[in-house]
Amino acid sequence: MQGEESCQILAGTEGDSFPLMEINTGETEASEQWDYVLVADHRTQRNTRQAQQQQQFLEELKRKGFHYKMIEDHKKVFFGIRVDSRIFGLYCRLLMEPEGPATRVQPARPPSIPATTRIRIVNFVLNSKTAAGDTLEDLVKSGVFETRFALHKGEEDLKKKWARWRNMFHPQPIDDIRDYFGEKVALYFAWLGWYTYMLVPAAVVGLIIFLSGFSLFNASQISKEICEAHDILLCPRGDHSRRYQQLSDTCTFAKLTHLFDNEGTVLFAIFMALWATVFLEIWKRQRARVVLHWDLYGWDEDQEEMALELINCPDYELRPQQHSYLRSTVILILSLFMICLMIGMAHLLVVYRVLAAALFNSTLLFQEEQVTTAVVVTGALVHYVAILIMTKVNKYVALKLCDFEKPRTFSERESKFTIKFFTLQFFAHFSSLVYIAFILGRINGHPGRSVRLAGLWKLEECHLSGCMMDLFLQMAIIMGLKQTLSNCMEYLGPWLAHKCRLMRFRLSRTSGDPELRRLQCNYLLNPVNTFSLFDEFMEMMIQYGFTTIFVAAFPLAPLLALFSNLVEIRLDAIKMVRLQRRLVPRKAKDIGTWLQVLETIGVLAVIANGMVIAFTSEFIPRVVYKYHYGPCRQGAQPAVDCLTGYINHSLSVFYTKDFQDPIQIEGSENVTECRYRDYRNARDYNLSEQFWVLLAIRLVFLILFEHVALCIKLIAAWFMPDVPQSVENKVLEEKYQTLREKMWYGRQRPGWGRARLQA
């Protein structure tokens, strides 16, 4: 047929090592045939130097086997780029398994070249250096080209089946996503869908643990004692409180704290450790099935990149692996400096909370009992804003560190960038939570001798009902803001930007040519970059951290994550299909370094939750009192609650005569002693014997909890192999059949028997 070429292309076994097949590629110039589009402003055509650079770049593409066509409107110049079929023949030969009999097999009907493969090859060549030493990115920065993008075509099915809010509870068409956006994007949505599905049992158990506190809302012995303690006065807390407060005033907060600080918290923390392991192990099995279904089980990323390098430049020389101890040392020092900066940011938040408490008290914006809550809430808001700022700083620093390290390939660069950026983001998000969980209120001294910031402002105390309330509020505010505001901005931002671009360009006045109109519509979509999918992964990793780390203090975290992910999946789908230019498809057989990130978070979650239960919650003090100090130490007594007297036991005594300025405290003339949360002697205010007994038991519990939880994780990982037996058997069967076919093929060759006898 005139205008058509026949080429050899790989088409369907393991790892893209496909048998060669005859396919036909029409050389029509309809917009559906363009694999990639370059855009330039009309003014570049009047600039001799820029027009010359454009022509040189396009001519070099033509010499490499690309076709292009210039299409103009009244503002822009579009260059449609299409790959010549001969390049696919070379791509097939480079990745074909040698000595295979499958090369002789011819299909009944020739398949078409996958659009994802075409776009991937074009994008790789365009991003490579030209003979003049420039890259397309350099030409875009210098104004020779304005932008470039892969053309949206054939996305109507995805719009109907996937990118709609009404399909929120429908299964995702993973195979269709793979055919359109490539394996990398499809694996992201497959993982996100599985993560969302697995959040259902975690959310249900967390909700049960939270609601179980309501059954004991009024029956808890501790809450009863607090609500009836009208004769116990608490010492003034901080500089904003200059009066004594009745313990019974904290009755409501004591009942609320019991909703998430109860005996079920320990069981839920162990459950989440097991859940995280089961989630990852089953995901590995899911991934193996999906990758085998896509014929990518034996695909090698390094081999793919080397093949693309050879297609771009036949004289390409392999860059060997290199390691510089000097570079590694510099990167380590700079990374530690940035981590210290993140920790310093947490200290600045501490300073803010101390100064905010003094400011709120002096300006009379809040009543005394509301100051602590106001400081916690505004501190969480300031922390959220700091996270937004430091995210941009961390990304810039991580990129510079990767450039300094000089990775060999793009995939290696992406892996190193992932580790660096996630490490910095982890400290930015969780450093403040670590302070609240394990430091807040523990270095303040006692009422007569308080530790002060710069000798002026007293350090912040925990909430009257305990530090678990502070941690709960911080987690709830930050996670709530991230899920709501982030999702809103993630959708409204691209939607508004797209509408503004449409209004500025005035699409209704453009040409009626359907080819030009399609190019214009794609141009007016929001741009994408290398980090578009990376940012989605990072957002989910941070959310997974909030869902597992410190979940003992916030059992509703899985429920919030579940609701957020149901929205996130459709939001990302709508954004990718309707509001953004087409992502460049990338091949992959797993989610890469993100799997190691998930495993690391799982281990950190065990450690953090063990420390929260041991040092932040009241679980250990309650158990120790129940069996060592309380009325049940000699055995259970049916008529007496074993926690009777716990509140009086857990509060230390301070004599008001030992205040440095007792006259300034309201009502001090009628009060001889007050109580505060700590374990100290009434004589000299040193730490009491009970404190050291509790500390020893806390450490023993932490060690036991972590070892038990980690053992459960290891047993669960061993019990569920990463690769299902059916997948392993299928791979073995394919290898066996390949060897049998090679053996049969070898017997047909002349001299096979003689060569066998000689061997």
Side-chain angles (χ1 to χ4, degrees), residues 94-162:
L94 290 173
L95 295 179
M96 182 179 62
E97 291 286 347
E99 307 234 350
T103 56
R104 301 177 292 103
V105 179
Q106 299 293 333
R109 301 179 66 180
S112 60
I113 300 171
T116 54
T117 302
R118 303 179 67 96
I119 296 172
R120 190 168 65 251
I121 293 177
V122 176
N123 181 73
F124 187 89
V125 174
L126 289 178
N127 286 331
S128 303
K129 285 189 176 182
T130 63
D134 297 325
T135 63
L136 180 58
E137 192 65 33
D138 297 329
L139 297 178
V140 171
K141 289 180 180 178
S142 61
V144 177
F145 293 103
E146 180 183 331
T147 187
R148 57 0 183 352
F149 54 84
L151 200 63
H152 271 296
K153 47 187 177 181
E155 73 277 17
E156 287 76 17
D157 285 344
L158 284 179
K159 286 182 178 180
K160 294 178 182 178
K161 296 189 296 185
W162 185 47

Side-chain angles (χ1 to χ4, degrees), residues 356-638:
L359 177 64
F360 292 161
N361 183 64
S362 62
T363 55
L364 301 177
L365 291 174
F366 301 94
Q367 298 178 5
E368 289 185 6
E369 58 271 14
Q370 297 174 334
V371 169
T372 301
T373 304
V375 168
V376 171
V377 173
T378 57
L381 294 174
V382 171
H383 185 205
Y384 177 73
V385 174
I387 287 173
L388 296 179
I389 297 173
M390 292 309 301
T391 296
K392 298 184 180 299
V393 175
N394 290 340
K395 181 179 287 188
Y396 176 82
V397 171
L399 277 174
K400 291 301 179 182
L401 290 178
C402 282
D403 292 339
F404 179 74
E405 197 169 4
K406 296 182 178 179
R408 189 177 66 88
T409 61
F410 177 81
S411 58
E412 184 180 339
R413 183 174 188 267
E414 184 180 46
S415 177
K416 293 179 181 296
F417 173 75
T418 299
I419 295 172
K420 294 176 178 62
F421 188 38
F422 174 78
T423 302
L424 297 178
Q425 284 293 88
F426 178 85
F427 280 93
H429 282 80
F430 293 97
S431 55
S432 177
L433 295 174
V434 170
Y435 165 77
I436 292 173
F438 309 122
I439 301 176
L440 178 63
R442 291 168 176 80
I443 57 174
N444 295 42
H446 57 82
R449 189 177 180 183
S450 302
V451 177
R452 292 181 175 271
L453 181 66
L456 298 175
W457 299 285
K458 188 176 180 180
L459 291 181
E460 184 188 7
E461 299 274 358
C462 287
H463 199 275
L464 287 170
S465 57
C467 293
M468 283 288 279
M469 177 61 75
D470 295 86
L471 187 58
F472 177 86
L473 289 174
Q474 186 86 354
M475 285 277 292
I477 292 172
I478 292 179
M479 194 169 181
L481 286 175
K482 281 193 67 65
Q483 305 309 321
T484 55
L485 292 183
S486 296
N487 281 346
C488 289
M489 293 304 299
E490 192 175 346
Y491 179 74
L492 292 178
W495 184 80
L496 291 174
H498 179 50
K499 293 300 180 183
C500 290
R501 290 168 68 89
L502 284 174
M503 292 175 62
R504 286 201 308 267
F505 202 79
R506 295 181 181 177
L507 186 61
S508 58
R509 298 186 180 182
T510 58
S511 169
D513 182 4
E515 181 180 13
L516 177 58
R517 191 174 184 84
R518 185 173 185 83
L519 295 176
Q520 291 170 337
C521 289
N522 277 263
Y523 168 74
L524 292 175
L525 294 173
N526 295 310
V528 294
N529 54 51
T530 309
F531 297 108
S532 295
L533 185 62
F534 180 91
D535 291 339
E536 303 297 339
F537 260 120
M538 179 60 73
E539 181 184 355
M540 288 297 104
M541 293 300 124
I542 296 299
Q543 187 213 77
Y544 183 76
F546 278 111
T547 306
T548 53
I549 302 175
F550 301 117
V551 73
F554 189 51
L556 295 179
L559 185 64
L560 287 181
L562 174 62
F563 290 149
S564 174
N565 286 3
L566 289 173
V567 175
E568 179 76 21
I569 291 174
R570 300 305 156 182
L571 190 151
D572 288 343
I574 293 171
K575 187 171 61 175
M576 289 184 182
V577 177
R578 298 175 181 270
L579 300 177
Q580 287 182 345
R581 295 168 185 166
R582 188 173 184 175
L583 284 171
V584 174
R586 289 188 57 195
K587 217 166 203 176
K589 63 178 181 179
D590 53 40
I591 58 174
T593 311
W594 296 115
L595 185 60
Q596 285 73 47
V597 170
L598 290 169
E599 291 175 340
T600 302
I601 292 175
V603 175
L604 291 175
V606 171
I607 299 172
N609 285 309
M611 294 181 67
V612 167
I613 295 170
F615 296 102
T616 310
S617 77
E618 293 289 316
F619 174 75
I620 299 297
R622 288 197 299 260
V623 172
V624 172
Y625 177 82
K626 190 174 183 179
Y627 297 105
H628 189 64
Y629 297 108
C632 297
R633 62 182 180 275
Q634 302 296 337
Q637 300 181 23

Side-chain angles (χ1 to χ4, degrees), residues 312-350:
N312 178 59
C313 178
D315 299 327
Y316 164 74
E317 294 185 2
L318 179 66
R319 287 181 58 190
Q321 295 280 4
Q322 295 180 342
H323 178 75
S324 171
Y325 288 100
L326 177 60
R327 281 201 187 95
S328 299
T329 303
V330 173
I331 290 171
L332 179 61
I333 292 173
L334 293 176
S335 299
L336 290 176
F337 172 77
M338 286 300 299
I339 290 173
C340 291
L341 183 62
M342 299 297 106
I343 297 174
M345 184 186 72
H347 285 79
L348 289 178
L349 291 172
V350 174

